[in-house]
Amino acid sequence: MISTGRARTFWVKVLIITLLFPVAYLLMLSLATQWIFPSVLPASLTLDRWSTLLGASNLFGSLLLSLGIALSVATISTFAGFFSSKHLAYHPQRSLWIRLSYFPFVLSPVIYAAVLYFYFIKLDLAGSFVGVILGQLLIAYPYSVILFSGFWSERIQQIEKLTQTLGGSRWQIYRRVLLPMAQGLLLVCFFQTFLISWFEYGLTTIIGVGKVQTLTLKVFQYINEANFYNAALASSLLVLPPIILLFFNRKYLFRQRW
Amino acid sequence: MRISEQKLFNNKAEGIGILLFLVLAVLPLVLGIIYALLYSLGVIGLVSDGFTFAYWQRALSDAEFWLSIGYTFYIALATIGLTIILSLFLSLYFRKELRHGLPGFAIYVPLAFPAIVVAFLFFQLLSQSGLFARIAFQLRLIADSSVFPELVNDPFGIGIIGAHTFMATPFFTLYFMNLYRQANLKEFRQVAESLGASAFEQLRRIVVPVLLKRAFPTLTLYTIFVMGSYEIPLILGRQTPQMMSVLVIRKLRRFSLSTIPEAYITAIVFIAIIIALLTVLFKSKNFSYDLDR
């Protein structure tokens, strides 16, 4: 019995190391001065790469750009999805609308971008900040609709009618009833759509034509240049915000995002 | 006196809500399919010579096209199969440990990884000069990096499957743990035990079937997600065979304009497969209940 308990503890430790190792590895690679075959550990560590990041480096610009795009996509898709999902959920064709919202959401973003690229060129949106936001919205918004569709129950509708009967205007119903009631879900949706945008590569590279250099594009660029140390640094910048988010609330990270 | 029931807000708000949905979710998809279809039929595009089925005939007789479809299914099914086995094992064997403390935190960490970072990480770990090769060298298991087996950019997609499984397993472990609790499987197992079922029989006849049945919609959606993945096969895959998403972009970005219609044909076929899979999924009882509620 004791040996079974010890074996179990051992395997739990192995599991923890396996799960946490990637973060440690990326951080170590980003700090390494030189780490060539066949060394298992880097020759020495340096903070130089991280400190230059804080200067006016390209990577810092990409970090701000990714942040700007992700915050815009999350804000717009959360509120637009909340508003639309209400009308779709109470519509007699609810089932059809919800089914339709799955198609753009599960379709490969890069293939979706490939078939839409022509329209982005015609609208003069290819290769622009706004174009990338719009492109990512085409995925994040349907996700938001799906997420909120479960919120609009009969109970919510009755509460809404009651508030209306008591003289509440449309704006008051949203501000004082619906938004406070959906607060938790709004936060989940905001963070999830933020992550959809933050993690996005394929669609961004097509619609952005490589000009909108988000952090994910930087990672790929560094891999192509065989600059693995900078790729690790850019990767660490991508991974750290969601891990910080994980400290605050796990439910923001554990949701279906495909 | 006639009392008329006031409508919930007015039709204008409803109209805007639905119009927004049509513009952002339905119209782009329809326009994208129409454009790809017209391009593939030679009606529009830089190489257009008028309506023709020639591009379709050429694409459908190309072995690479069929290989790509088969390879895409192989990667997705291998990933989901491995993920199911690993997630069931972790969620059932380490259920108590994974609920709290450091293990409870660590299981969430891979969810914080974007696909491109996972691809980079697996390249760094599994390539012939990667960390595992270095460890093997230090342990004198290999004399040279070239002796280390090809685990990335390999013909069997080992690196691709590994990377996808790394991303999916923690999610499904947590998902199965939630389902286990929601389905009251602990109580079911107690009843089965009192009726004389062994621990293995409880798992085989109750726990695993219930978990898989309930998780079927999510497992299908994840399979579709893997089929459409791009970054991981782009970095960890090879020139041939290629997953459909990578093939589409490769054919679009070639210097030769003649491959563009084939790229759109591959895209259309991919979209058709996804629509077919989703249609099947929507007929699943678990799924349609949620939609029609």
Side-chain angles (χ1 to χ4, degrees):
Chain A
M1 195 68 185
I2 291 170
S3 63
T4 313
R6 277 185 187 163
R8 202 180 171 85
T9 313
F10 170 77
W11 286 113
V12 170
K13 282 180 183 165
V14 170
L15 182 66
I16 293 170
I17 291 168
T18 310
L19 294 168
L20 296 182
F21 170 76
V23 183
Y25 181 82
L26 283 178
L27 285 174
M28 194 144 69
L29 188 59
S30 73
L31 292 167
T33 48
Q34 206 177 30
W35 195 356
I36 52 171
F37 190 88
S39 306
V40 174
L41 289 169
S44 60
L45 300 177
T46 175
L47 278 170
D48 285 356
R49 220 169 279 118
W50 279 86
S51 57
T52 51
L53 166 77
L54 298 171
S57 66
N58 281 339
L59 206 53
F60 188 64
S62 289
L63 176 68
L64 292 179
L65 184 69
S66 287
L67 208 59
I69 292 173
L71 286 172
S72 309
V73 170
T75 309
I76 299 168
S77 57
T78 300
F79 286 104
F82 184 74
F83 175 72
S84 287
S85 67
K86 176 175 180 285
H87 302 293
L88 298 170
Y90 293 146
H91 196 270
Q93 296 296 321
R94 169 202 159 92
S95 170
L96 172 73
W97 300 127
I98 306 298
R99 278 182 169 92
L100 280 174
S101 57
Y102 271 91
F103 287 98
F105 173 54
V106 298
L107 193 66
S108 169
V110 76
I111 291 183
Y112 200 20
V115 297
L116 286 176
Y117 181 59
F118 166 79
Y119 299 103
F120 277 81
I121 293 175
K122 285 288 169 197
L123 293 169
D124 206 18
L125 287 170
S128 72
F129 177 77
V130 178
V132 170
I133 290 176
L134 181 65
Q136 294 188 355
L137 269 177
L138 300 182
I139 304 166
Y141 166 79
Y143 170 78
S144 176
V145 169
I146 295 166
L147 192 68
F148 285 123
S149 64
F151 173 76
W152 304 106
S153 60
E154 254 178 58
R155 185 178 148 264
I156 297 286
Q157 199 172 23
Q158 281 165 1
I159 293 171
E160 203 180 333
K161 277 180 179 169
L162 179 68
T163 319
Q164 208 175 11
T165 312
L166 293 170
S169 67
R170 186 188 307 168
W171 169 242
Q172 282 173 321
I173 291 172
Y174 266 103
R175 201 171 139 247
R176 299 199 183 263
V177 181
L178 298 178
L179 289 173
M181 283 183 86
Q183 197 181 20
L185 201 57
L186 284 165
L187 270 175
V188 169
C189 185
F190 180 84
F191 285 117
Q192 283 294 310
T193 46
F194 178 89
L195 290 177
I196 287 173
S197 168
W198 188 253
F199 288 176
E200 171 50 45
Y201 170 77
L203 183 140
T204 310
T205 192
I206 301 285
I207 302 295
V209 208
K211 288 181 191 168
V212 184
Q213 290 266 314
T214 57
L215 271 179
T216 49
L217 263 78
K218 278 284 173 194
V219 173
F220 188 75
Q221 183 196 319
Y222 289 135
I223 295 170
N224 253 352
E225 293 169 359
N227 187 347
F228 299 130
Y229 306 112
N230 272 1
L233 176 59
S235 298
S236 303
L237 292 174
L238 274 169
V239 169
L240 288 178
I243 289 182
I244 293 167
L245 188 65
L246 183 57
F247 273 108
F248 289 106
N249 204 326
R250 288 172 190 180
K251 75 177 176 189
Y252 296 145
L253 218 60
F254 178 60
R255 274 279 177 168
Q256 200 171 298
R257 274 200 306 271
W258 54 86
Chain B
M1 191 174 83
R2 190 177 163 189
I3 300 171
S4 62
E5 192 188 333
Q6 196 186 349
K7 279 189 181 174
L8 189 65
F9 295 141
N10 54 37
N11 289 330
K12 198 176 165 189
E14 188 180 276
I16 292 170
I18 293 173
L19 189 70
L20 192 65
F21 178 77
L22 290 173
V23 168
L24 282 176
V26 182
L27 189 68
L29 189 64
V30 174
L31 288 176
I33 293 172
I34 290 172
Y35 178 75
L37 202 59
L38 292 178
Y39 208 114
S40 72
L41 292 169
V43 179
I44 53 169
L46 298 166
V47 289
S48 167
D49 280 331
F51 185 85
T52 175
F53 281 115
Y55 301 124
W56 277 89
Q57 282 168 346
R58 198 167 69 192
L60 297 179
S61 59
D62 185 3
E64 192 183 25
F65 171 77
W66 295 105
L67 192 63
S68 177
I69 295 177
Y71 191 66
T72 303
F73 272 102
Y74 155 71
I75 294 287
L77 293 175
T79 299
I80 214 72
L82 257 177
T83 301
I84 289 172
I85 294 166
L86 284 172
S87 309
L88 279 175
F89 172 72
L90 291 176
S91 61
L92 295 173
Y93 193 70
F94 294 116
R95 196 158 33 90
K96 283 178 192 162
E97 288 85 350
L98 289 174
R99 266 191 298 213
H100 43 74
L102 190 56
F105 172 78
I107 193 73
Y108 282 87
V109 169
L111 302 180
F113 277 71
I116 196 155
V117 174
V118 175
F120 169 59
L121 189 75
F122 269 71
F123 186 82
Q124 284 292 306
L125 297 179
L126 302 182
S127 69
Q128 287 185 319
S129 59
L131 188 70
F132 291 169
R134 292 165 195 224
I135 293 169
F137 183 85
Q138 298 295 345
L139 293 172
R140 297 180 194 280
L141 295 172
I142 55 167
D144 187 65
S145 66
S146 61
V147 186
F148 192 74
E150 279 186 50
L151 298 175
V152 295
N153 310 124
D154 62 299
F156 302 106
I158 296 170
I160 302 173
I161 295 167
H164 276 306
T165 307
F166 172 79
M167 286 180 79
T169 301
F171 174 82
F172 279 102
T173 302
L174 291 164
Y175 188 60
F176 286 145
M177 283 166 62
N178 278 353
L179 286 183
Y180 190 94
R181 206 171 43 244
Q182 283 168 14
N184 298 319
L185 286 175
K186 194 179 169 187
E187 286 74 19
F188 277 113
R189 288 185 75 170
Q190 280 169 350
V191 172
E193 194 178 4
S194 66
L195 293 170
S198 67
F200 180 71
E201 279 176 324
Q202 291 164 30
L203 288 177
R204 194 170 68 89
R205 290 177 181 270
I206 302 169
V207 178
V208 174
V210 169
L211 288 179
L212 291 182
K213 194 180 172 190
R214 288 203 171 205
F216 174 74
T218 308
L219 286 166
T220 313
L221 284 177
Y222 201 89
T223 309
I224 294 172
F225 164 75
V226 176
M227 285 174 71
S229 70
Y230 179 64
E231 300 93 316
I232 289 176
L234 181 70
I235 292 170
L236 301 178
R238 53 161 56 192
Q239 193 82 359
T240 312
Q242 276 185 328
M243 286 183 74
M244 290 175 85
S245 50
V246 183
L247 187 69
V248 169
I249 302 306
R250 201 189 87 208
K251 290 201 168 186
L252 270 181
R253 287 185 164 176
R254 267 191 193 160
F255 287 109
S256 162
L257 297 175
S258 63
T259 58
I260 297 177
E262 286 176 48
Y264 284 123
I265 290 168
T266 313
I268 292 167
V269 171
F270 180 83
I271 293 170
I273 292 171
I274 301 305
I275 290 173
L277 285 174
L278 276 180
T279 309
V280 172
L281 180 65
F282 290 149
K283 286 184 178 167
S284 143
K285 274 184 187 169
N286 285 344
F287 211 82
S288 54
Y289 171 75
D290 185 50
L291 290 173
D292 299 328
R293 156 175 68 86

